[in-house]
Amino acid sequence: MKIEDVYIWDINAKWLGISPFQLMENAGAGVARAIEEKFGKGLKVAIFCGTGNNGGDGFVAARHLSFENDVTVFLVGDEIKIRSEEAKHNWEILKKLDFVKIKILKDSSQVKALNLEGYDVIVDALLGAGTKGEPREPIRSAIEKINEYSGKAKIVSVDLPSGYPSKVQVKCDFAVTFQWDKEEFEGFERIVAKIGYPKELHHLVGPGDAKFALRKKGEHKGQNGRLLIIGGSEDYFGAPYLAAKATSYLVDLVYLVMPEYSAKRITDPDMILRPVEGKNFTRENLEEVLALTEKVDAVIIGPGIGLKDETREFVREFVKRCEKPLVIDADGLKAIAEDLSALNGKTFVLTPHAGEFKTLFGEKPEGSLKEKAELVMKKAEEINGVILLKGVYDIISDGKVWKYNKTGNRGMTTGGTGDVLAGIIGALFALGNSPLRAASVGAFLNGLAGDMVKEELGENFTALDVARKVPNAVKWVLEF
């Protein structure tokens, strides 16, 4: 697990109803417990706190330690800069306590004048994992002051040594890090304290994942994703249009490639239409369509493309020769099922429902969520790609881990919502996300948009209603 996962899990925990106050309380209590288990009680403890959430954890630790120890809190910085509600709340509690001494150190001269002789334990709760570069004053002086007592007092850092990984960092005896050890951490001893994350967070897709997936890259047209959608046939023109409509809210440029016969029915100015000759895709269209992939970041193939023999052959050949990340959906899956070797060496997401999954792999996903997930994971590993199994709970795997999505409702059984989903996944791919993140967040946003439509219209709505709610779903995530 990485540092980024902490932020994602915190947001997803909040979505489940686990408040940041609970997590801070559990983190601070975990630090206090680790100190007493290692060094006993009746200690003289100095706790250095910054104005961020790392400091908030320190405030909580101070309260817990004060029950059987002599505690002094040194706030490094101005109390009006204490940022989050939960850190402010715990600071206000500390100020009401008569048996916790508080000293506010607003500048480095006050820090440098400190004498910490006689303290058994010094707790470093100055900076968390989100800080970059070398620490600035007065935090820098506080780190240097703590390090003066290295070897004389026990030094315990909250989450990680303040200043890590820069040259100016606390020399701690150990850090109490939360819930799991982080891949990026090295060079210091760690104790892991659990803070109340439930098992679901290992697998559940939520707004935390979506927040990271929706980060924009640039301010010029084309820098935030260019996507190519290949679909449509003499029988269908709505499916590729729905995928393109959902996509148009998320990326800068959407190219919609369709047979000219069905392309004539599309009049939406948000799409850049690229009609090809004929009523259905055939091998004759291959070079022309492949040329279009050169100026895009990702490709969706399959919505409404039909099942004609020559079209299926076109799909397989296109996939074999396409160098861009691919979302393969709907009839595209049936074409690929005839020769899965077309996927070798490709970066892709397949989006089958249970029936299409059986067509692809010869096995029907059945049983519990975990049993289905294990099958999806096994097949994803075999084909070395990402599979999104659509269902009441969508299950997504890259063969190494599996995720599941709980958003969505019965109204989404209406035709076309799968095309909207493919569009969102393609857009997230074009924004530079990994296949696993693009697929899992795509499922989340698609379901969230559907839930927003249901709230407004009840369970009777169309896929176009869902596509049009995509910007509302994005806004909700970014504001969560």
Side-chain angles (χ1 to χ4, degrees):
M1 306 293 275
K2 297 183 173 154
I3 292 168
E4 183 181 284
D5 295 314
V6 179
Y7 300 105
I8 292 171
W9 281 39
D10 280 353
I11 294 164
N12 291 351
K14 185 179 165 191
W15 183 53
L16 289 175
I18 302 161
S19 77
F21 291 92
Q22 285 170 276
L23 295 174
M24 185 172 281
E25 182 66 27
N26 293 345
V31 171
R33 191 164 52 249
I35 288 168
E36 290 187 337
E37 281 172 4
K38 279 270 189 185
F39 311 124
K41 292 164 187 171
L43 305 163
K44 193 173 181 194
V45 184
I47 303 183
F48 282 80
C49 297
T51 54
N53 275 353
N54 198 259
D57 296 339
F59 302 152
V60 174
R63 171 162 43 83
H64 281 268
L65 286 166
S66 75
F67 194 69
E68 293 182 271
N69 304 282
D70 177 1
V71 176
T72 304
V73 171
F74 296 98
L75 178 70
V76 182
D78 194 326
E79 67 177 299
I80 61 165
K81 289 186 177 165
I82 295 173
R83 288 194 290 273
S84 70
E85 287 306 308
E86 51 274 20
K88 279 181 197 156
H89 171 77
N90 283 298
W91 172 248
E92 291 304 320
I93 293 172
L94 276 192
K95 290 203 294 185
K96 294 189 183 86
L97 304 182
D98 298 318
F99 294 95
V100 173
K101 294 179 277 302
I102 292 176
K103 292 182 181 171
I104 297 174
L105 311 166
K106 287 189 185 177
D107 61 59
S108 50
S109 62
Q110 292 173 294
V111 176
K112 284 173 180 164
L114 283 180
N115 179 0
L116 301 176
E117 292 292 340
Y119 283 100
D120 303 300
V121 179
I122 299 170
V123 178
D124 150 38
L126 292 166
L127 296 174
T131 48
K132 301 277 186 284
E134 289 195 0
R136 295 193 292 271
E137 293 292 2
I139 297 287
R140 188 185 183 106
S141 289
I143 290 171
E144 287 164 356
K145 177 58 70 176
I146 291 169
N147 287 344
E148 281 176 34
Y149 292 85
S150 176
K152 300 175 195 168
K154 296 296 181 188
I155 298 172
V156 178
S157 288
V158 174
D159 200 22
L160 77 169
S162 291
Y164 177 89
S166 79
K167 289 192 185 94
V168 182
Q169 62 174 273
V170 167
K171 294 174 190 155
C172 64
D173 290 272
F174 62 87
V176 181
T177 196
F178 305 122
Q179 201 70 30
W180 65 79
D181 205 1
K182 319 298 183 294
E183 281 176 25
E184 295 93 335
F185 289 177
E186 58 180 13
F188 60 96
E189 194 183 320
R190 298 171 295 283
I191 290 174
V192 176
K194 291 198 169 64
I195 60 171
Y197 287 139
K199 189 173 186 174
E200 272 76 2
L201 291 178
H202 271 295
H203 302 292
L204 187 67
V205 188
D209 305 84
K211 247 189 212 304
F212 277 83
L214 290 164
R215 286 177 296 191
K216 295 277 187 184
K217 288 191 289 195
E219 288 167 21
H220 301 290
K221 188 164 76 173
Q223 285 185 320
N224 295 306
R226 293 161 303 181
L227 184 70
L228 181 68
I229 299 174
I230 305 162
S233 59
E234 62 183 316
D235 300 317
Y236 305 106
F237 71 93
Y241 173 71
L242 286 166
K245 191 69 192 167
T247 296
S248 66
Y249 297 111
L250 294 167
V251 297
D252 288 350
L253 297 167
V254 185
Y255 299 94
L256 184 49
V257 186
M258 298 173 72
E260 58 188 354
Y261 177 82
S262 46
K264 286 174 187 158
R265 307 186 204 183
I266 307 288
T267 56
D268 191 323
D270 291 327
M271 321 285 143
I272 303 167
L273 270 173
R274 292 284 182 264
V276 297
E277 231 177 273
K279 292 186 175 183
N280 299 288
F281 284 100
T282 68
R283 281 188 79 114
E284 275 76 76
N285 308 126
L286 196 57
E287 300 305 326
E288 185 184 351
V289 178
L290 279 165
L292 291 170
T293 65
E294 286 170 24
K295 53 182 171 186
V296 299
D297 303 300
V299 177
I300 299 169
I301 186 165
I305 209 163
L307 293 169
K308 294 264 191 301
D309 288 343
E310 63 268 28
T311 303
R312 288 151 90 132
E313 198 182 335
F314 162 82
V315 171
R316 288 191 294 275
E317 281 305 309
F318 176 85
V319 169
K320 280 177 191 170
R321 291 179 57 189
C322 180
E323 298 298 317
K324 296 294 166 78
L326 284 157
V327 180
I328 305 172
D329 184 44
D331 292 339
L333 295 169
K334 296 185 181 84
I336 286 298
E338 292 169 36
D339 182 11
L340 288 175
S341 73
L343 299 168
N344 292 350
K346 304 296 170 188
T347 302
F348 63 89
V349 175
L350 307 184
T351 57
H353 53 58
E356 290 165 335
F357 189 95
K358 188 170 185 204
T359 302
L360 282 161
F361 304 112
E363 287 181 64
K364 194 164 186 187
E366 287 172 324
S368 67
L369 172 68
K370 196 161 181 290
E371 285 166 332
K372 286 180 190 166
E374 281 167 358
L375 177 61
V376 173
M377 189 155 78
K378 181 178 146 209
K379 294 303 174 188
E381 186 182 17
E382 282 173 16
I383 60 170
N384 196 24
V386 168
I387 300 169
L388 188 165
L389 174 66
K390 296 182 282 202
V392 179
Y393 284 176
D394 305 306
I395 298 167
I396 311 101
S397 180
D398 60 356
K400 299 179 196 76
V401 299
W402 64 271
K403 313 279 281 179
Y404 74 107
N405 171 56
K406 285 167 70 157
T407 60
N409 56 77
R410 283 185 310 184
M412 296 181 74
T413 54
T414 184
T417 54
D419 303 308
V420 173
L421 169 62
I424 299 171
I425 296 168
L428 292 165
F429 240 167
L431 288 171
N433 290 290
S434 71
L436 182 70
R437 180 165 280 171
S440 48
V441 171
F444 175 81
L445 287 174
N446 186 52
L448 180 62
D451 289 341
M452 288 176 163
V453 176
K454 182 189 169 189
E455 212 168 282
E456 203 176 291
L457 303 176
E459 283 189 345
N460 299 307
F461 52 82
T462 69
L464 193 55
D465 295 323
V466 178
R468 285 181 176 139
K469 269 282 183 269
V470 168
N472 303 69
V474 170
K475 183 172 184 279
W476 180 87
V477 163
L478 296 177
E479 290 173 356
F480 187 79

